Amino acid sequence: MSDAVVLVVDDDPDIRSTVCAILERDGLSVIEAATGTDVDDALSRRALSAVVLDLRLNGEDGMEIAKRIRSRSGVPIVILSANDDVIDKVVCLEIGVDDYVTKPFHAREFSARVRNAIRRNPQQGRNDPPVPPAPSNAITFGDWRYDLEFGTLHSQETGEVILTTYEHKILRAFVEQPRKVFSRDALLDLTAGRDWSPFDRSIDVLVAKLRKKLGDDMKQPRYIKTIRGEGYSWLVNVSTARLDL
């Protein structure tokens, strides 16, 4: 990961410097940005492996910047914000961010989460939409091939689909324990760690996004079934062999 380049976006130069120092200490190269214009320029000029983005910037709101990044790029986005507001977290899920870390944060945990987002991006160092990698640890269900290492889905009809960190964690839990009913709290524990409050909406958003990516109909589900009053269950078995496809 020595060639990974992370864009750190924060309008506070002291915080930006601290974040950069943490990432550089763990072997990542960093570039800095303070505004949305800086972000646009970096995306057009540099090959990025991840973007660390503060939500509260002077001028353009960080949420709008995240939307713009995601509309043009598959690069992982890690939100770093002092705001622990539930609504912001839900909106970030809907945008497709890969992780959300609240300030204050533990340096090693933060760095690990950034590096994890980079590892799961098969197009490390690229800003354009990802091209399918050669999966090394995959299982199959229905028409889908699911790479457990990179968190990508592939089918002949749809092509490659990239999952966010949270979507990947939930899908992996589902396919590893098909037919089990997962409560919302259980799924929250899988995805959240210490940064999320115990509320249902975030899990519902994640499951809805997974369904959309899988082409699954909530009313006539093929893969994910809503168990009223209990949670969710994965309906189909997966291949028992992990395939090197």
Side-chain angles (χ1 to χ4, degrees), residues 201-219:
R201 174 69 173 144
S202 64
I203 294 303
D204 293 336
V205 169
L206 286 166
V207 171
K209 288 178 71 65
L210 265 178
R211 280 177 167 148
K212 183 176 181 180
K213 290 183 177 182
L214 290 167
D216 205 19
D217 185 346
M218 182 177 67
K219 294 182 180 179

Side-chain angles (χ1 to χ4, degrees), residues 82-90 93 100-102 113 166 184-204 206:
N83 190 0
D84 197 29
D85 183 75
V86 164
I87 299 301
D88 277 354
K89 291 180 177 181
V90 169
L93 286 177
Y100 192 114
V101 181
T102 55
R113 288 165 75 162
Y166 297 123
R184 288 175 172 84
D185 285 345
L187 293 175
L188 189 69
D189 288 341
L190 286 173
T191 60
R194 61 180 177 81
D195 285 326
W196 295 81
S197 302
F199 67 101
D200 289 350
R201 174 69 173 144
S202 64
I203 294 303
D204 293 336
L206 286 166

Side-chain angles (χ1 to χ4, degrees), residues 65-233:
I65 296 174
K67 290 179 183 178
R68 191 161 68 250
I69 293 172
R70 185 54 70 235
S71 70
R72 62 183 286 191
S73 171
V75 65
I77 303 171
V78 177
I79 298 297
L80 181 59
S81 177
N83 190 0
D84 197 29
D85 183 75
V86 164
I87 299 301
D88 277 354
K89 291 180 177 181
V90 169
V91 172
C92 283
L93 286 177
E94 293 172 336
I95 292 171
V97 304
D98 292 80
D99 209 342
Y100 192 114
V101 181
T102 55
K103 305 172 186 175
F105 58 89
H106 190 283
R108 288 186 178 179
E109 179 189 356
F110 165 68
S111 179
R113 288 165 75 162
V114 172
R115 287 183 281 114
N116 182 61
I118 294 172
R119 277 194 299 269
R120 290 192 51 257
N121 180 12
Q123 283 295 96
Q124 179 177 317
R126 297 291 301 278
N127 296 334
D128 46 10
V131 172
S136 58
N137 193 17
I139 58 175
T140 61
F141 55 86
D143 299 326
W144 292 98
R145 184 186 67 209
Y146 174 37
D147 189 306
L148 295 171
E149 180 178 357
F150 292 111
T152 58
L153 290 163
H154 182 272
S155 73
Q156 292 298 321
E157 180 179 352
T158 307
E160 200 77 8
V161 176
I162 305 299
L163 302 177
T164 67
T165 299
Y166 297 123
E167 293 164 357
H168 173 45
K169 287 180 178 180
I170 287 182
L171 181 57
R172 182 161 185 165
F174 280 150
V175 301
E176 289 182 340
Q177 299 183 76
R179 315 289 177 176
K180 175 180 176 178
V181 177
F182 287 89
S183 69
R184 288 175 172 84
D185 285 345
L187 293 175
L188 189 69
D189 288 341
L190 286 173
T191 60
R194 61 180 177 81
D195 285 326
W196 295 81
S197 302
F199 67 101
D200 289 350
R201 174 69 173 144
S202 64
I203 294 303
D204 293 336
V205 169
L206 286 166
V207 171
K209 288 178 71 65
L210 265 178
R211 280 177 167 148
K212 183 176 181 180
K213 290 183 177 182
L214 290 167
D216 205 19
D217 185 346
M218 182 177 67
K219 294 182 180 179
Q220 295 181 312
R222 182 181 180 187
Y223 299 116
I224 304 172
K225 182 178 182 179
T226 300
I227 311 297
R228 187 176 297 275
E230 297 186 52
Y232 299 99
S233 181

